[in-house]
Amino acid sequence: MIDTLNTTLRRVPPWSLYILAALYPAWLLQQGVTGGLGVDPVKAMEHDLGRRSLQLIVAGLCITPLRRFTGLNLVRFRRAVGLIAFFYICLHLTVWLVLDVQILSQVWADILKRPYITIGMAGFLLLVPLAVTSNAYSVRRLGRRWNRLHRLVYLAALLGAFHFVMLVKGFQYEPLIYLVCVIVLLLTRLAPRRRRIPT
């Protein structure tokens, strides 16, 4: 079953994910313009893009455990998932900067005064070098350092989850679920690898 699924997935080009990813923000903008996002479309777009970004980061973290524990191989899609997550985070940040806050001096004040924004911005900055080096040239150029650099995604994922937890008002289960998912996915990387029994 897994082998069949892996064979089918090998026929799906990773670039198709970028096309699908571009459709969602376009749909979200259309909903905001036509009133489909409620009385505060800016906040709705801002929060929804942030949520989708975190979902994609979690999905990216799932790829290694899925291959390790189930045999499902989605590694060829990992770069696309990571870049799409970064793209959505950039849109999330752009909506906050341009449509929500709008005043540059207020942006800096919010980053310094509001811990959840400080944490979210730190997570974003950690992802910048990962996005810049997500290409074959950088992999060849950096060698083993590339893998060490891209482990920053673990810390960025934690910061993103904490950003969501601190953002919401009152006790809500959803951000805590994301935080638990990130922690569990990181812990799976500490599990000892099974040795192959020679046949």
Side-chain angles (χ1 to χ4, degrees):
M1 176 66 179
I2 292 295
D3 291 339
T4 302
L5 185 55
N6 284 336
T7 301
T8 302
L9 288 171
R10 279 195 290 269
R11 297 170 184 163
V12 179
W15 55 260
S16 62
L17 298 185
Y18 296 112
I19 297 175
L20 292 174
L23 296 176
Y24 178 72
W27 173 84
L28 198 62
L29 179 61
Q30 185 269 338
Q31 288 293 300
V33 171
T34 58
L37 297 180
V39 296
D40 194 346
V42 171
K43 280 293 183 186
M45 282 191 288
E46 182 183 329
H47 292 167
D48 207 62
L49 287 166
R51 185 181 289 106
R52 297 291 175 259
S53 304
L54 187 54
Q55 289 170 353
L56 285 166
I57 289 175
V58 170
L61 291 177
C62 286
I63 290 175
T64 294
L66 281 173
R67 183 179 62 169
R68 185 175 175 186
F69 298 112
T70 71
L72 182 62
N73 192 351
L74 300 170
V75 172
R76 66 197 303 263
F77 302 108
R78 182 159 51 194
R79 180 184 299 178
V81 171
L83 288 174
I84 292 167
F86 182 75
F87 171 57
Y88 282 6
I89 292 171
C90 289
L91 292 179
H92 169 69
L93 185 60
T94 300
V95 171
W96 175 65
L97 289 172
V98 178
L99 300 180
D100 190 355
V101 180
Q102 297 182 346
I103 304 171
L104 187 59
S105 59
Q106 184 62 41
V107 169
W108 183 244
D110 282 351
I111 292 173
L112 294 178
K113 290 182 180 179
R114 301 184 181 184
Y116 75 90
I117 296 180
T118 307
I119 288 175
M121 190 62 67
F124 167 73
L125 292 176
L126 286 176
L127 291 174
V128 171
L130 308 191
V132 171
T133 58
S134 288
N135 53 76
Y137 172 78
S138 295
V139 174
R140 293 192 301 269
R141 183 76 174 176
L142 295 174
R144 292 182 179 180
R145 291 175 295 170
W146 187 89
N147 285 324
R148 290 196 292 269
L149 175 65
H150 278 250
R151 286 174 188 160
L152 287 175
V153 72
Y154 303 155
L155 179 55
L158 280 173
L159 291 175
F162 276 116
H163 170 71
F164 192 16
V165 170
M166 298 173 70
L167 171 68
V168 299
K169 296 179 180 178
F171 180 82
Q172 295 187 32
Y173 286 107
E174 185 185 8
L176 294 175
I177 290 172
Y178 285 110
L179 179 59
V180 170
C181 286
V182 170
I183 292 173
V184 169
L185 288 168
L186 296 184
L187 289 175
T188 61
R189 284 157 169 79
L190 301 178
R193 294 182 180 274
R194 294 180 180 179
R195 293 183 178 179
R196 293 184 177 180
I197 300 174
T199 56

